[in-house]
Amino acid sequence: MKQNQLITHVILTGGVGSRLWPLSRKSYPKQYIEIFNGVSLFEMTIERNRGIAGKIIVVGNVDNSRLSRIILEKSGIEYIEIIESTPRNTAAAIAFAAFATQPDDILLVTPSDHLIENKASYLEAVKDAISIAVEGSIVAFGIKPCKPETGYGYIEFDSDKVLAFHEKPALDKAIEYLQKNSFYWNSGMFCFKAAVFLQELENYAPEIYKNSKLAWEANKKGHLNLEMSLRIPSISADYAVMEYSKKIKVIPSQFGWSDLGSFESVYDYLIKLGHPSDENGNITIGTEIHTSFIGLESCIFVHTTGFFDIEKREIAGR
C-alpha cells in the first residue's frame, strides 16, 4: 500500500431503528441503546475497527451526532464529524465522507447499528477487502444466508463478480435465493478508494455527485447547509452506484452478522447472551420490576423510562 494511502473508517449513524419502536426511538435510536451487556452497537462498531483504521469519520443527522459525540469523547477517540441537516440517504452520506478524505484513501464504510460476531473472521474479511479496493474495485461484503430472510437485501453473484442487487424479497423469492447458492445477504458494508466511489457516483448519479460536492464545499465545521442539502436526491448507494458500476466485487464473509432490525433478532441474540427469561422464554428489557407473562411464550416486554414525555417531544419536533 502506498504511503499516502490511509484506511478511514466511515460510520453511518443516520438510522432510527423504527422497527424496534418503542425500544428504539427518534430521540434514542437502537445503535446507542446499551442493552448488550452494557455496551451499545455504536461502541461495538468503533471497537472492532480501531486496529484497522487510522482515521474515523462519523456521518449522521443533528440528533444522532449528539449521541455519537458523547460516546466518542468519553472514549477519547479523535474523529471527523459530518452533520447532515436533513437525511439524504447513503449515497450522499458516503459522498460527504469521500470528499473529506484524500483521493487514494481507502474507505471502510459500515453502518453503526449492526451486530458482528467472530472478530477474527471479520478482520480477515476486511483485510481481503482492502487488498481488492487498493486495485480500484468497490468491494461489497456479502453474508452467506442461513435462512430465507425477507428483511434483508440480497446480492446476486458469480465468483467475486456482482450480477445484481435485489431488494428485500417476498418469502417465496427468499427461499429460491437460499436454494440457488448464488445469493448473499447485502450487509450494507463497503470498501473502496474515495476517488473510485466519487467517479462512479459522478458517472451514474451526477445530480447526487454535483449537489453533494457543492454542499460539502459550503460546510461549516462539518455542518451541512439545509437549503443546499435539499437539492441532493435522496437515494441509497445501492441504487445510485452499486447497481450500475462495473467495478463492484463481492467477498463472502464468514462472520456472524445481523442488522438487529426486528424484535425476533434482538430476542435471539439476548437469549444467546444468557439474558434472564422465565420458564416460557419470555424476557423483559429496561426494568428490574417483577413482570409476569400469562399465556405467552418467547415474548419481549419493553419498559422505557419517561416514555410519554419523550414521545411528546419527538412528535412536537416532527
Side-chain angles (χ1 to χ4, degrees):
M1 187 177 296
K2 298 178 181 177
Q3 286 187 343
N4 63 333
Q5 285 180 324
L6 177 72
I7 309 300
T8 299
H9 181 204
V10 178
I11 308 175
L12 306 179
T13 69
V16 297
S18 58
R19 287 180 291 167
L20 295 184
W21 183 91
L23 179 63
S24 176
R25 305 182 297 272
K26 180 182 176 183
S27 62
Y28 213 70
K30 68 174 178 178
Q31 58 266 36
Y32 303 107
I33 302 170
E34 297 179 343
I35 62 170
F36 308 101
N37 285 338
V39 181
S40 68
L41 292 170
F42 182 69
E43 290 173 281
M44 292 180 186
T45 302
I46 295 167
E47 186 57 36
R48 82 173 64 98
N49 293 286
R50 288 187 75 167
I52 301 169
K55 182 165 63 175
I56 295 175
I57 295 178
V58 179
V59 186
N61 57 43
V62 175
D63 296 325
N64 289 7
S65 67
R66 175 183 58 83
L67 298 170
S68 298
R69 193 178 307 122
I70 291 170
I71 293 171
L72 286 159
E73 291 181 352
K74 180 180 67 176
S75 304
I77 298 173
E78 294 185 6
Y79 70 104
I80 295 172
E81 186 176 44
I82 298 176
I83 302 175
E84 298 175 296
S85 54
T86 183
R88 304 319 290 162
N89 220 308
T90 55
I94 295 171
F96 297 141
F99 285 126
T101 60
Q102 296 300 311
D104 275 347
D105 288 353
I106 302 294
L107 307 189
L108 173 63
V109 180
T110 74
S112 61
D113 58 354
H114 290 184
L115 175 72
I116 290 176
E117 300 177 279
N118 193 337
K119 186 176 179 181
S121 293
Y122 172 76
L123 294 177
E124 189 63 31
V126 171
K127 179 182 176 182
D128 292 343
I130 291 171
S131 67
I132 297 171
V134 166
E135 301 301 320
S137 295
I138 295 176
V139 183
F141 291 78
I143 310 296
K144 184 175 176 59
C146 58
K147 59 181 179 178
E149 176 61 61
T150 60
Y152 300 153
Y154 285 73
I155 301 172
E156 185 177 2
F157 66 93
D158 180 13
S159 185
D160 66 347
K161 294 180 181 179
V162 173
L163 301 179
F165 284 82
H166 299 271
E167 277 301 298
K168 299 170 184 176
L171 181 59
D172 59 339
K173 272 292 180 184
I175 294 172
E176 179 185 329
Y177 292 165
L178 186 65
Q179 293 171 340
K180 284 187 173 180
N181 293 317
S182 58
F183 289 81
Y184 292 142
W185 289 333
N186 181 7
S187 70
M189 296 168 48
F190 302 99
C191 187
F192 44 73
K193 284 183 181 179
V196 171
F197 178 82
L198 290 175
Q199 184 60 64
E200 295 297 90
L201 185 66
E202 186 175 20
N203 289 343
Y204 298 108
E207 276 297 300
I208 297 177
Y209 174 86
K210 179 184 72 174
N211 289 302
S212 296
K213 188 171 189 290
L214 290 172
W216 174 249
E217 290 173 345
N219 84 86
K220 304 293 185 183
K221 296 182 178 180
H223 291 255
L224 300 168
N225 177 271
L226 175 58
E227 183 178 347
M228 299 183 78
S229 295
L230 287 170
R231 298 172 190 161
I232 304 170
S234 181
I235 303 173
S236 72
D238 288 352
Y239 282 138
V241 173
M242 309 307 174
E243 287 192 349
Y244 303 103
S245 176
K246 302 299 186 289
K247 296 183 178 182
I248 308 294
K249 291 191 175 182
V250 62
I251 59 171
S253 305
Q254 303 302 320
F255 52 83
W257 173 89
S258 172
D259 73 350
L260 290 182
S262 67
F263 275 109
E264 288 85 356
S265 58
V266 171
Y267 176 89
D268 290 343
Y269 181 62
L270 290 177
I271 288 294
K272 187 164 65 174
L273 282 181
H275 192 89
S277 64
D278 68 13
E279 64 275 14
N280 293 314
N282 299 301
I283 66 175
T284 62
I285 299 176
T287 182
E288 295 182 359
I289 299 172
H290 176 73
T291 305
S292 295
F293 295 81
I294 301 174
L296 298 173
E297 295 182 1
S298 304
C299 290
I300 300 178
F301 174 80
V302 178
H303 179 273
T304 54
T305 305
F307 171 75
F308 290 107
D309 289 340
I310 291 170
E311 290 300 300
K312 286 177 182 177
R313 289 199 298 271
E314 288 182 2
I315 292 170
R318 288 174 186 167

